[in-house]
Amino acid sequence: MGKVFQFPVIGSTIFILFTLSITVCSLKVHDGSFSIQKKVLEVERKLKHLKKHSKKTIQSEDGDIIDCIDIKKQPAFDHPALKSHKIQMEPTYILAKEETTGTGTINKNKTKIDKMMKRRGEESSLIMASQLWKRSGRCPKGTIPVRRIRKETMLKSHSIKDYGRKKPSFSHHHVGHLNKNLESLVQQQNRSKAILFTYGYGYLGAKGDIKVCNPLVEKDDEYSTSQVALLSGSYNDFECVEAGWAVNPSVYGDRQTRLFVYWTADGSKKTGCFDLTCPGFIQTSNEIALGAAIHPISIPGDLPYQITIYIYKDPITSNWWVQYGEKTNIGYWPPELFGVICYHAQSVEWGGEVYSSTIGHTPHTTTQMGNGQFASYFEGSSYVKRMRIHDNSETLKIPEWAYAYTDEYNCYGVFYMIDYVEDPEFYYGGPGRNPMCP
């Protein structure tokens, strides 16, 4: 009798184990599908959240969709520290009162400087780049233009939380006893810079005219940017606010040159992002769309189109404002996002940056910086002109001490011109991989 009942028990046990093994195998097979499905739902939820506050939609001729979103419902207010933040619609006042000479002191010959600035203003108006989407419409007051994120672009990111954020890196400037008591060490992970930088004061703002180009970007997970940046903090946990132009397929889904702002409070490890792809930057302008294409672009033999970027700290609210051109305040980063830079920046950078996993390796990336030409005054390479800083004074001034640096001089070059010009000029850029940079 024992044997009669033993067989069904064994058979049941085998059946249960067989069923469990099938279930486990099935889960393993479909685990990837479940993860993908979860990611798709997360992306759709985020995009739906943005679109529901749209008051108007504009279809740009370059394929972008611009949503005019209620200014009080913008992504910034999803940040825990900004839940009760009151929007500052305009800066308290702009610190800059007067341009200065190369020595950093106010030019007593005001008539001469006024004439020079008037002439420069006329020249800038002729070659200033704008944005393409404006040809198709405008956003009404009380809204801000937000470039609609493409679903397929966001799905390519490693995670929705990391979408729009740079890969973690660190930057470190060290003073030593080389080259007039200065040794500049800029250490990066998978990142190459060709910059002009200054430090030694507490900086309250920085400005520059940046030539707009369209560099080749080899892979979808690489980017090339040109910007004005202010930084503070330790070398591996720095805080940074920056703005300029970028070619960044992983964020924008194509290789157009686009206007961007970026911030981080921890060296891009867990905080910060481009534009409005995460909560943080508060936009106030209904005229500029962050992440939208810039038009026209500089090409060899044609006018050198440029954008003017000015980042400055409001002396009353401590908000870090971004100004585009000479009068359009795009918006600001509130001090609640930061720990150190809310007081002042410790250094300023102008120039280019390339990200690639093959930086420092062979074969090197072919991603270009600037317009892909090595830095040269005569060859029409990329540049930043009319560079200005705020220190503790109330005036914008040419930095008294500034240093050109590139961490891959065979790949991307720098040239700082201070002689025989009314105003210092900084040239930078390069092709990436070439016979000198295999």
Side-chain angles (χ1 to χ4, degrees):
M1 291 294 292
K3 290 183 179 179
V4 172
F5 290 101
Q6 189 175 7
F7 283 110
V9 173
I10 294 172
S12 298
T13 303
I14 293 171
F15 176 75
I16 292 169
L17 290 172
F18 179 70
T19 304
L20 284 172
S21 67
I22 291 176
T23 304
V24 170
C25 289
S26 178
L27 284 173
K28 285 182 179 179
V29 169
H30 294 289
D31 182 57
S33 299
F34 289 151
S35 298
I36 293 171
Q37 188 176 9
K38 182 180 178 181
K39 191 174 182 180
V40 170
L41 291 173
E42 195 175 347
V43 168
E44 289 177 343
R45 186 162 53 247
K46 182 169 183 174
L47 296 179
K48 186 178 180 180
H49 174 70
L50 289 173
K51 284 190 286 186
K52 77 176 181 178
H53 300 301
S54 179
K55 303 292 185 180
K56 179 181 177 181
T57 299
I58 299 171
Q59 178 71 58
S60 176
E61 60 187 72
D62 64 348
D64 278 354
I65 297 175
I66 305 297
D67 291 309
C68 302
I69 292 178
D70 185 336
I71 192 170
K72 296 179 181 178
K73 304 294 183 180
Q74 62 180 293
F77 300 115
D78 291 333
H79 195 290
L82 303 178
K83 292 295 184 183
S84 57
H85 181 88
K86 184 178 180 181
I87 300 177
Q88 181 184 9
M89 290 304 298
E90 294 180 353
T92 305
Y93 62 87
I94 297 177
L95 286 173
K97 291 183 178 180
E98 188 172 4
E99 292 288 339
T100 59
T101 64
T103 60
T105 58
I106 297 175
N107 191 339
K108 294 179 181 179
N109 189 351
K110 196 172 185 301
T111 303
K112 182 179 178 181
I113 199 80
D114 285 346
K115 286 181 179 178
M116 185 176 74
M117 292 315 299
K118 183 180 179 181
R119 184 172 68 252
R120 284 214 181 113
E122 291 169 351
E123 290 172 355
S124 293
S125 66
L126 290 174
I127 60 178
M128 186 65 63
S130 184
Q131 292 190 308
L132 207 55
W133 71 274
K134 288 184 178 182
R135 294 179 179 178
S136 304
R138 298 293 176 99
C139 284
K141 289 184 178 180
T143 69
I144 61 168
V146 178
R147 178 183 176 272
R148 187 178 295 180
I149 300 171
R150 298 173 183 174
K151 180 178 176 181
E152 58 272 21
T153 303
M154 191 178 286
L155 284 171
K156 290 179 182 178
S157 64
H158 181 262
S159 70
I160 305 306
K161 189 180 293 185
D162 294 335
Y163 170 72
R165 187 182 304 139
K166 293 182 181 181
K167 301 291 190 302
S169 69
F170 56 91
S171 178
H172 181 207
H173 301 301
H174 171 71
V175 178
H177 300 282
L178 186 64
N179 293 334
K180 297 182 181 179
N181 296 323
L182 175 72
E183 179 187 9
S184 170
L185 300 177
V186 181
Q187 300 172 325
Q188 300 289 329
Q189 291 180 344
N190 301 329
R191 196 162 298 173
S192 187
K193 285 188 175 183
I195 58 171
L196 183 77
F197 73 93
T198 185
Y199 68 98
Y201 296 94
Y203 298 97
L204 303 177
K207 186 175 185 178
D209 295 337
I210 310 172
K211 184 177 180 179
V212 180
C213 308
N214 183 241
L216 178 147
V217 172
E218 182 181 355
K219 299 176 183 176
D220 287 349
D221 63 348
E222 300 180 351
Y223 66 71
S224 181
T225 65
S226 292
Q227 65 274 324
V228 177
L230 295 100
L231 304 93
S232 281
S234 61
Y235 71 92
N236 63 347
D237 205 33
F238 65 90
E239 300 178 358
C240 175
V241 290
E242 61 185 70
W245 60 257
V247 177
N248 191 336
S250 65
V251 173
Y252 304 119
D254 59 25
R255 284 168 169 76
Q256 291 194 78
T257 302
R258 298 175 176 275
L259 178 71
F260 83 91
V261 299
Y262 186 87
W263 71 278
T264 181
D266 62 355
S268 295
K269 290 194 286 291
K270 292 183 179 180
T271 66
C273 63
F274 283 89
D275 309 330
L276 306 178
T277 56
C278 72
F281 186 83
I282 296 176
Q283 183 161 339
T284 57
S285 173
N286 66 333
E287 298 178 6
I288 299 296
L290 295 172
I294 300 174
H295 179 82
I297 302 296
S298 303
I299 58 175
D302 202 350
L303 287 173
Y305 295 98
Q306 64 187 35
I307 57 173
T308 298
I309 296 294
Y310 179 26
I311 304 175
Y312 61 97
K313 181 175 175 257
D314 188 298
I316 305 300
T317 63
S318 294
N319 294 326
W320 280 98
W321 281 87
V322 178
Q323 185 184 89
Y324 178 85
E326 297 294 344
K327 60 181 181 179
T328 304
N329 291 297
I330 301 175
Y332 60 88
W333 294 280
E336 293 91 335
L337 300 174
F338 308 104
V340 180
I341 205 172
C342 53
Y343 302 105
H344 61 256
Q346 295 171 342
S347 64
V348 178
E349 295 180 359
W350 298 266
E353 177 180 299
V354 165
Y355 171 82
S356 170
S357 59
T358 61
I359 293 289
H361 301 283
T362 302
H364 192 279
T365 180
T366 58
T367 292
Q368 299 173 345
M369 183 186 292
N371 61 1
Q373 297 183 32
F374 277 109
S376 171
Y377 174 75
F378 300 102
E379 299 299 328
S381 64
S382 301
Y383 63 71
V384 183
K385 296 182 180 179
R386 207 159 52 107
M387 294 157 288
R388 298 289 185 269
I389 54 98
H390 281 309
D391 49 23
N392 294 323
S393 69
E394 292 188 350
T395 59
L396 269 172
K397 58 177 66 175
I398 297 170
E400 188 173 357
W401 302 104
Y403 311 94
Y405 177 86
T406 177
D407 43 20
E408 292 188 306
Y409 60 89
N410 285 327
C411 311
Y412 310 108
V414 292
F415 175 59
Y416 185 37
M417 188 168 186
I418 56 177
D419 297 322
Y420 311 111
V421 288
E422 287 182 338
D423 211 318
E425 300 174 356
F426 175 61
Y427 297 86
Y428 66 96
R433 190 192 310 163
N434 68 84
M436 297 184 297
C437 174

